[in-house]
Amino acid sequence: MNGSYTFGFYDWVALGCYGLVLLLSGLWLGRKKQAGTEDYFLAGRAMPAWAVAVSILATSLSAATFIGAPEQAYRGDLTYLTMSIGAILGAVFVAAVLLPAFYRYRVATVYEFLELRFGTTAKLASSWTFMIGRVFASGARIFIAALPASLILFGDLEPVHLWPAIAALTLTGVLYTLVGGVRSIIWSDVIQAVVFLGAAAGSCLLLLERIPLSLGEIVAALGSAGEGMSSKLTVIDLGFDLTQPGLGFDPSARYTLLTALTGLTLLSVGAYGTDQDLVQRMLTCRSAKKGSWSVISAILVQIPVIALFLIIGSLLYIFYLRPDLMAAAAPSYGVDDSRQVFLSFILEEMPAGMPGLMMAGLFAAGLSSLNSALNAMASSFVNDWYRTVFPDQGERHYLRVGRCAVAGWGVVLGGFAMVCVYWQQAAEQSLIDFALSVMTFAYAGLVAVFLTASLTSRGNGASVVLALAGGFAATMLLQPPIWRTWAPLAWQALTLAFPWQLLIATAIAMVLCCLGRREARRTS
């Protein structure tokens, strides 16, 4: 790659206009004074389901999808779409089992439900597990969103340049979250979803224009990617092959039908049913039925959106790696770092003004996830922990503490994002794999606890703590560098993909949670 990015006057104007719209919308949406924490964190439970669905879509996609999904298709094929099977199954379980319970008890956070089932210790432990896990997940996403900022400002991805980009994004997210609470975040997510979806559609059309092939020729080229390579149009990988020894099972394969029906379904249950970041959106609806409608609708809309980003990655493969097809239209430079492939096309190939619009879309995706994470973490901190330790302080007091918590978690998230600069490179994972895999540390224990609470009559406060710690520890022990230090010699070469890590760790955690006998508790 030539390294000389063109981000000119018109691009800065476009990006500046997006920033102005973000500022004005935040001030307008936040003009209503919050009466208390329910208004600030749950929008008075009066949000329309369609807006919540768009907010869930915008929050769950993030900059990891904007940059990572094209990288996934550029490096591989379309099997990432298999995740949608697990997402649908997980969302249906959440809508049918968990959300009705959350609404029945009118909880402000999902961990208050665990308090009713297992006691205060379970609520506090689960809430802190969520907040720590959300630091992992959202910190990784801030790091990914900082990549284009570093390229724009400094022309490279050196750690010393990624740090100020991370700091700037984190500060922007904190200030926006402080303005108007979850109501303004949900409505701004609607605006930002339009921005980043429009940017993605525009880039896809531009790629089709730049590639000197008909649509049929593009499909044929992707169907036979090259000698010794499988089709880049593969969508479903069963995960096994009956004609091969050992059923042809590859435990390192991440996106297969087997992982979709197991680990990726658990990942979806974790994201949409145990993670306050996304569940908080559903709790702002007027009823459990509308909340359920919002999450299932978001998943169904998410499928073609992810497909769009994967198509972009497939087209980028032809644009950069098939000069035999591009002929005279082939770029005069290559892309050494696959993380930069979509960003390189945006900054190198798009006409003046369009890179600014594209970066606005990318930052929209990044900020929508950051804003929601900060609000959800502050909500859990105040409602699950602070109110328990300092009861009867008055709504105005809790609201002030909530705002301070937003700023405090912003500092923590920014700090962890800087750690991710080194972690992602050491893990040698694609951006999307890295963003998803870090979520499993907290989800293993949380999913196990919520499954125990909703499907069994077992468990108590002590076993919940044991399960949460056990899930985290099991996930850590299954990480390849650590696995090789303790696994039997014959197994040390085995690499488990993160869906299998989540499945194993969740099973271990659920066994630990079920060891406890249910204690009689007051449920009202």
Side-chain angles (χ1 to χ4, degrees):
M1 191 168 55
N2 63 21
S4 57
Y5 299 108
T6 303
F7 204 78
F9 173 76
Y10 293 109
D11 300 311
W12 285 111
V13 169
L15 191 57
C17 287
Y18 161 71
L20 183 62
V21 169
L22 192 65
L23 174 63
L24 294 178
S25 65
L27 294 174
W28 172 259
L29 295 169
R31 70 192 186 283
K32 181 181 177 182
K33 192 173 183 180
Q34 285 81 31
T37 53
E38 178 159 327
D39 201 25
Y40 185 70
F41 291 126
L42 294 176
R45 299 183 190 269
M47 294 300 298
W50 71 266
V52 173
V54 176
S55 180
I56 292 172
L57 171 70
T59 301
S60 60
L61 290 180
S62 80
T65 302
F66 199 103
I67 304 175
E71 180 198 16
Q72 194 77 24
Y74 176 81
R75 294 174 54 169
D77 49 34
L78 305 182
T79 50
Y80 179 69
L81 267 178
T82 310
M83 259 200 81
S84 300
I85 299 174
I88 292 172
L89 294 175
V92 168
F93 176 82
V94 170
V97 178
L98 296 181
L99 269 180
F102 298 158
Y103 270 88
R104 185 163 59 249
Y105 295 111
R106 288 191 65 80
V107 297
T109 75
V110 294
Y111 314 110
E112 292 177 8
F113 168 72
L114 296 180
E115 180 180 30
L116 297 170
R117 178 68 167 78
F118 298 121
T120 301
T121 299
K123 178 187 74 171
L124 295 176
S126 298
S127 181
W128 276 106
T129 299
F130 153 71
M131 288 186 281
I132 294 171
R134 184 41 52 189
V135 169
F136 277 46
S138 294
R141 283 157 175 75
I142 296 172
F143 151 66
I144 294 171
L147 298 176
S150 179
L151 286 176
I152 291 172
L153 296 174
F154 307 106
D156 59 45
L157 299 180
E158 292 299 318
V160 70
H161 293 152
L162 282 168
W163 296 340
I166 288 170
L169 284 170
T170 304
L171 179 61
T172 302
V174 168
L175 293 177
Y176 195 87
T177 306
L178 288 173
V179 172
V182 73
R183 179 184 289 105
S184 65
I185 290 173
I186 289 175
W187 284 118
S188 69
D189 280 348
V190 174
I191 298 172
Q192 298 190 101
V194 172
V195 173
F196 74 73
L197 290 178
S203 64
C204 187
L205 292 174
L206 183 60
L207 269 165
L208 288 172
E209 180 185 352
R210 295 291 302 276
I211 295 174
L213 300 174
S214 67
L215 186 59
E217 291 171 329
I218 290 174
V219 171
L222 293 173
S224 55
E227 185 177 353
M229 296 179 64
S230 60
S231 170
K232 293 185 72 66
L233 296 178
T234 301
V235 175
I236 298 292
D237 177 356
L238 295 179
F240 59 89
D241 185 349
L242 295 175
T243 66
Q244 299 296 321
L247 300 182
F249 174 67
D250 180 7
S252 65
R254 300 172 299 278
Y255 308 111
T256 69
L257 186 59
L258 277 179
T259 59
L261 297 175
T262 53
L264 295 178
T265 296
L266 292 178
L267 185 72
S268 181
V269 172
Y272 299 105
T274 75
D275 191 324
Q276 178 69 8
D277 185 19
L278 287 175
V279 181
Q280 184 180 15
R281 300 289 178 279
M282 305 168 214
L283 295 180
T284 64
C285 293
R286 292 181 174 87
S287 66
K289 183 178 179 180
K290 291 186 179 296
S292 298
W293 183 90
S294 69
V295 65
I296 292 176
S297 298
I299 296 298
L300 294 177
V301 174
Q302 180 178 295
I303 296 172
V305 172
I306 291 176
L308 173 62
F309 283 102
L310 292 174
I311 290 170
I312 291 172
S314 299
L315 295 175
L316 288 170
Y317 161 79
I318 291 179
F319 187 83
Y320 284 111
L321 297 182
R322 294 299 300 271
D324 56 315
L325 300 176
M326 291 295 295
S332 59
Y333 60 94
V335 179
D336 299 325
D337 188 342
S338 64
R339 297 179 302 172
Q340 300 183 32
V341 62
F342 191 23
L343 300 176
S344 295
F345 180 79
I346 292 171
L347 295 173
E348 300 271 12
E349 301 295 334
M350 289 188 171
M354 198 167 177
L357 293 174
M358 292 298 300
M359 289 302 169
L362 198 155
F363 292 138
L367 288 174
S368 64
S369 297
L370 174 57
N371 296 343
S372 65
L374 289 170
N375 192 274
M377 294 167 76
S379 173
S380 289
F381 177 81
V382 172
N383 291 306
D384 294 328
W385 184 80
Y386 194 85
R387 282 181 185 270
T388 302
V389 178
F390 303 100
D392 305 320
Q393 296 296 312
E395 285 301 306
R396 302 292 298 172
H397 174 81
Y398 292 127
L399 184 58
R400 286 194 299 272
V401 173
R403 293 181 183 276
C404 292
V406 168
W409 282 121
V411 174
V412 175
L413 282 176
F416 187 78
M418 294 179 184
V419 173
C420 289
V421 173
Y422 303 97
W423 187 359
Q424 188 268 333
Q425 290 185 329
E428 297 182 349
Q429 293 175 299
S430 68
L431 293 175
I432 200 77
D433 288 347
F434 177 69
L436 292 173
S437 64
V438 297
M439 298 164 68
T440 62
F441 287 89
Y443 282 178
L446 286 173
V447 170
V449 169
F450 275 87
L451 289 178
T452 303
S454 58
L455 301 179
T456 77
S457 59
R458 302 288 299 180
N460 54 37
S463 70
V464 166
V465 174
L466 184 63
L468 294 170
F472 194 98
T475 305
M476 182 67 72
L477 289 172
L478 292 172
Q479 300 307 301
I482 299 177
W483 168 265
R484 288 190 288 269
T485 66
W486 68 273
L489 184 62
W491 291 4
Q492 287 186 5
L494 181 68
T495 299
L496 290 174
F498 73 85
W500 295 118
Q501 295 173 11
L502 178 59
L503 178 65
I504 294 170
T506 301
I508 293 172
M510 191 165 180
V511 169
L512 294 174
C513 194
C514 289
L515 290 177
R517 291 185 177 182
R518 184 173 185 176
E519 301 171 354
R521 305 216 60 83
R522 186 168 50 87
T523 58
S524 63

